[in-house]
Amino acid sequence: MSIASPDLDEQVDLRTSTSGPWQTVVWNDPVNLMSYVVHVFREYFGYSREKAHRLMLAVHHDGHAVVAEGSREQMELHAQAMHDYGLWATVREAGS
């Protein structure tokens, strides 16, 4: 959606970066055990043992892993849930 200013020939783009898709990223930390991270991914996201383990290894070896992708609102809920479990998580726009 754009608005034309009556005084300017410029148009202001009102589409914000909320259009997404967005990602929930879990980051490595020195506190949580790898087995606990797998447990959280399985319990909260319902991931299989294999997928949860693969994501945990990405967190451990790469420093982070994208654990979910979708609307900004949903990714913010996921990040808050990860915080509630004691994990460090952020939300970013996909492709960032």
Side-chain angles (χ1 to χ4, degrees), residues 1-93:
M1 176 177 175
S2 297
I3 308 176
S5 171
D7 298 288
L8 302 171
D9 288 334
E10 292 182 22
Q11 290 189 339
V12 178
D13 189 354
L14 294 180
R15 288 177 299 185
T16 63
S17 57
T18 59
S19 60
W22 290 79
Q23 298 173 329
T24 300
V25 181
V26 172
W27 298 87
N28 194 23
D29 66 61
V31 178
N32 292 294
L33 297 173
M34 292 186 284
S35 58
Y36 177 69
V37 175
V38 170
H39 165 76
V40 170
F41 292 166
R42 293 194 71 209
E43 182 174 290
Y44 179 77
F45 292 107
Y47 291 154
S48 68
R49 182 178 310 278
E50 294 76 21
K51 182 171 184 173
H53 188 76
R54 187 170 58 251
L55 288 169
M56 175 277 297
L57 287 176
V59 170
H60 181 69
H61 292 298
D62 302 333
H64 69 283
V66 174
V67 296
E69 188 170 302
S71 71
R72 182 176 183 172
E73 295 78 16
Q74 187 62 53
M75 296 308 101
E76 289 173 350
L77 291 173
H78 290 332
Q80 182 58 55
M82 295 299 97
H83 297 166
D84 293 345
Y85 279 101
L87 301 183
W88 178 28
T90 57
V91 174
R92 69 179 183 197
E93 194 166 10

